[in-house]
Amino acid sequence: MPGLHAMKTEGRKIVMLTAYDASFAAQVEQAGVDIALVGDSLGMVVQGQRSTLPVTLDHMVYHTSLVARGLSATLLAADMPFMADRNVSYALEAGARLVGEAGAAMVKLEGAAPHVLEAIHALTERVIPVCAHLGLTPQSVHKFGGYKVQGRAQDAAERVVNEALAVQQAGASILVLEGVPTPLGERVTKALDIPVIGIGAGPHCDGQVLVVYDMLGITPGKRPKFSKDFLAGRGSVSEAIAAYVSDVRSGAFPAAEHSYN
């Protein structure tokens, strides 16, 4: 993704935002978002599930195809659902469906276990760009014992840095870094040649991503610390998304209250 790499080099912030249907996709593109992400977060914010784990490949293909119809130029990324990386053969099949059938330009994989690195390498070798995802990886919620900030202890921080270098070496084009302390987010961003998109990883990342329902303040329950209600005080969804884009580009978002120290 040469354009995204150029933005990192030039210090221009990258804006990513989720979308799950054609109407939201059109709003995202109109606001100037760089990357529309069809996240498996749809399991929670659209389907009402308690985690992302029940989301299937068919679900992801369906929602990605909807978003693709609402875009004309915005880069489209799609999550690989839970266990899509069970083996290289299935990962390639899933990647082929999301790109060839649904219209994604990039797929996202969580973690940096050996089988994940193998899948990243296999996908990129077959010209399917990969976005890696480290830190708080929602598909590992049971392993983590909940949605907890990662990388607070020194050994845990070192592990995140090493994993980031590993996914880059495996061929990932960009990295989403979620739920880590601000100093670690800055350290990973500086250590990598590829762009790092933060979500609860502090202001020093190369860009930011949020769940669109969170940044509109319509997700039921408590809003994540790293999010902000951009619809509050504004008259429309389009104004809220435009404000999010503007604040990410200027560096106004995330502020200290949206970060972990």
Side-chain angles (χ1 to χ4, degrees):
M1 302 293 169
L4 299 178
H5 285 248
M7 291 180 74
K8 177 183 177 83
T9 301
E10 296 165 8
R12 293 184 287 128
K13 295 291 187 181
I14 299 166
V15 184
M16 179 187 278
L17 188 63
T18 67
Y20 311 104
D21 60 40
S23 295
F24 267 104
Q27 293 281 334
V28 164
E29 180 160 277
Q30 182 180 3
V33 170
D34 300 302
I35 308 170
L37 171 65
V38 185
D40 58 2
S41 49
L42 68 87
M44 301 175 74
V45 301
V46 176
Q47 297 176 342
Q49 305 281 4
R50 293 190 176 183
S51 74
T52 64
L53 303 183
V55 176
T56 68
L57 179 58
D58 284 342
H59 294 157
M60 291 307 305
V61 169
Y62 172 72
H63 282 276
T64 301
S65 66
L66 301 185
V67 173
R69 292 172 199 154
L71 302 176
S72 60
T74 305
L75 181 68
L76 175 57
D79 270 345
M80 298 270 270
F82 179 59
M83 293 298 289
D85 56 3
R86 65 190 71 168
N87 57 57
V88 168
S89 177
Y90 190 79
L92 290 173
E93 177 185 344
R97 287 194 65 192
L98 288 168
V99 173
E101 181 180 338
M106 173 185 287
V107 298
K108 183 162 76 64
L109 273 173
E110 293 187 9
H115 69 281
V116 179
L117 298 177
E118 187 178 3
I120 292 173
H121 179 73
L123 287 161
T124 55
E125 281 286 294
R126 289 161 178 82
V127 205
I128 297 177
V130 173
C131 170
H133 186 161
L134 296 174
L136 172 53
T137 47
Q139 291 176 12
S140 302
V141 60
H142 295 315
K143 176 182 177 181
F144 293 153
Y147 298 97
K148 300 178 180 179
V149 177
Q150 302 296 303
R152 286 197 187 276
Q154 184 174 348
D155 60 340
E158 292 298 329
R159 182 171 64 252
V160 171
V161 173
N162 290 334
E163 288 176 346
L165 293 168
V167 297
Q168 175 177 266
Q169 179 64 33
S173 296
I174 61 174
L175 167 66
V176 166
L177 185 61
E178 179 172 357
V180 302
T182 293
L184 180 56
E186 182 176 15
R187 182 179 172 192
V188 171
T189 302
K190 289 180 176 179
L192 298 190
D193 297 322
I194 62 175
V196 177
I197 312 298
I199 176 168
H204 305 294
C205 298
D206 299 305
Q208 300 292 327
V209 59
L210 285 179
V211 171
V212 67
Y213 290 178
D214 289 348
M215 58 80 61
L216 293 174
I218 60 175
T219 304
K222 183 180 179 182
R223 187 174 69 246
K225 172 183 172 64
F226 52 70
S227 188
K228 175 183 176 180
D229 183 354
F230 282 88
L231 187 55
R234 295 184 173 89
S236 67
V237 168
S238 60
E239 288 180 12
I241 298 177
Y244 166 68
V245 172
S246 176
D247 281 7
V248 172
R249 295 254 194 255
S250 69
F253 179 83
E257 62 263 32
H258 310 117
S259 306
Y260 302 102
N261 295 306

